[in-house]
Amino acid sequence: DSGVTQTPKHLITATGQRVTLRCSPRSGDLSVYWYQQSLDQGLQFLIQYYNGEERAKGNILERFSAQQFPDLHSELNLSSLELGDSALYFCASSTSTSQPQHFGDGTRLSIL
Amino acid sequence: AQSVTQLDSQVPVFEEAPVELRCNYSSSVSVYLFWYVQYPNQGLQLLLKYLSGSTLVKGINGFEAEFNKSQTSFHLRKPSVHISDTAEYFCAVRSVDGADGLTFGKGTHLIIQP
C-alpha cells in the first residue's frame, strides 16, 4: 500500500461528458502529480502541484484541468471527453520535488 | 527535455536465471533515475532510485541497478528471478531541478518461465 488513494477505481462514461478524478496523497506529502497511461502513448506526465500551487505542466490537454486543495488532496477534471481519453490515470505524491514519487492504484476511465 | 529508451519490450527468462533489463536516457540537464514495477491491475511501485553518490544502487526484491553517466545508462539486474517477478518494469528520469514530472520509458515486460 503506497498510501496514495485514488477514487473512483473505475469510471465509465460517454463522449462529450465531464468527469472528476480524486487523489489523496500520502500523509505529509506536499507534491501531487497526475499521469496518464494508455496503450499507444505509454505513461505521460500531465501536471504537478506543490502545496496548492501549480508547479509544472506536461502533456495536458486544454480540456483537462487540475487543482490541489488546502487539505492537499487533488482533483483532475476531464471535460468534452473523447474516445481517445480512455486510459488509466495515476496520481503520485512526494514529500518534495527531489524525492521519489509514490503512486496510487489509478482510475481506469472508459469512454463509450 | 528528457527521453528514456528501454531497448527490450519483452524479456523471457527461466526461473532462477539472472536477468538484465536495459535502460538508456537522454537529457541536457542532470537527472535523477528510477525503476518502477507494475503488477497487473496495480499502480507503480518504486524498485530503486539513483539520486547521487554510489553508482550501484540496491532496491527491493533483490534488484539492483548501475548508473553509468558516460553511457547514459541505468540497467536493472537481478541475479536470480522468481515467478513472482513477472511484471512490467519502467525506467524513468526526472530533472534534478524538479521542474517537471517523471519521463518514462515504454516499459519492459519480464516473463518468467518455469
Side-chain angles (χ1 to χ4, degrees):
Chain A
D1 182 11
S2 68
V4 178
T5 303
Q6 290 188 247
T7 57
K9 290 192 184 306
H10 302 278
L11 202 46
I12 302 173
T13 189
T15 56
Q17 296 299 305
R18 172 188 169 94
V19 297
T20 297
L21 314 184
R22 182 188 168 100
C23 169
S24 293
R26 291 189 318 163
S27 177
D29 284 359
L30 298 178
S31 279
V32 170
Y33 308 80
W34 287 96
Y35 293 86
Q36 180 194 60
Q37 184 178 34
S38 62
L39 283 174
D40 53 345
Q41 299 289 333
L43 271 158
Q44 289 199 95
F45 166 63
L46 296 178
I47 196 164
Q48 176 199 357
Y49 278 81
Y50 179 81
N51 203 22
E53 300 286 327
E54 182 184 303
R55 179 60 66 92
K57 263 186 174 179
N59 297 321
I60 189 165
L61 299 172
E62 285 193 11
R63 299 183 286 109
F64 296 1
S65 65
Q67 53 185 327
Q68 186 179 27
F69 295 86
D71 67 353
L72 300 178
H73 91 270
S74 178
E75 292 180 356
L76 179 67
N77 301 295
L78 315 176
S79 62
S80 302
L81 287 167
E82 302 174 359
L83 293 176
D85 297 327
S86 294
L88 199 49
Y89 290 85
F90 286 110
C91 170
S93 72
S94 66
T95 52
S96 68
T97 55
S98 64
Q99 292 303 310
Q101 297 169 30
H102 297 268
F103 283 74
D105 286 341
T107 294
R108 184 170 295 280
L109 176 64
S110 299
I111 313 299
L112 302 180
Chain B
Q2 300 98 35
S3 66
V4 177
T5 302
Q6 290 185 244
L7 296 162
D8 305 298
S9 60
Q10 196 166 282
V11 173
V13 178
F14 286 107
E15 197 169 12
E16 297 183 10
V19 69
E20 178 180 81
L21 305 184
R22 296 179 293 170
C23 171
N24 287 88
Y25 70 93
S26 173
S27 177
S28 56
V29 299
S30 296
V31 295
Y32 298 133
L33 298 119
F34 307 88
W35 275 97
Y36 283 86
V37 60
Q38 186 178 27
Y39 299 103
N41 300 314
Q42 293 188 28
L44 285 85
Q45 181 181 4
L46 180 67
L47 271 180
L48 47 78
K49 61 186 183 289
Y50 174 78
L51 302 181
S52 64
S54 172
T55 57
L56 183 63
V57 292
K58 294 189 183 298
I60 63 171
N61 301 340
F63 284 94
E64 64 180 32
E66 186 156 19
F67 170 54
N68 187 319
K69 190 172 183 179
S70 62
Q71 297 186 9
T72 60
S73 67
F74 191 53
H75 301 332
L76 180 71
R77 301 185 184 101
K78 186 170 182 177
S80 175
V81 295
H82 188 266
I83 199 81
S84 60
D85 293 323
T86 297
E88 194 81 17
Y89 291 79
F90 292 94
C91 180
V93 303
R94 138 168 236 207
S95 61
V96 168
D97 67 9
D100 56 10
L102 291 164
T103 299
F104 285 91
K106 292 194 177 300
T108 297
H109 188 196
L110 180 60
I111 302 167
I112 310 299
Q113 301 167 326

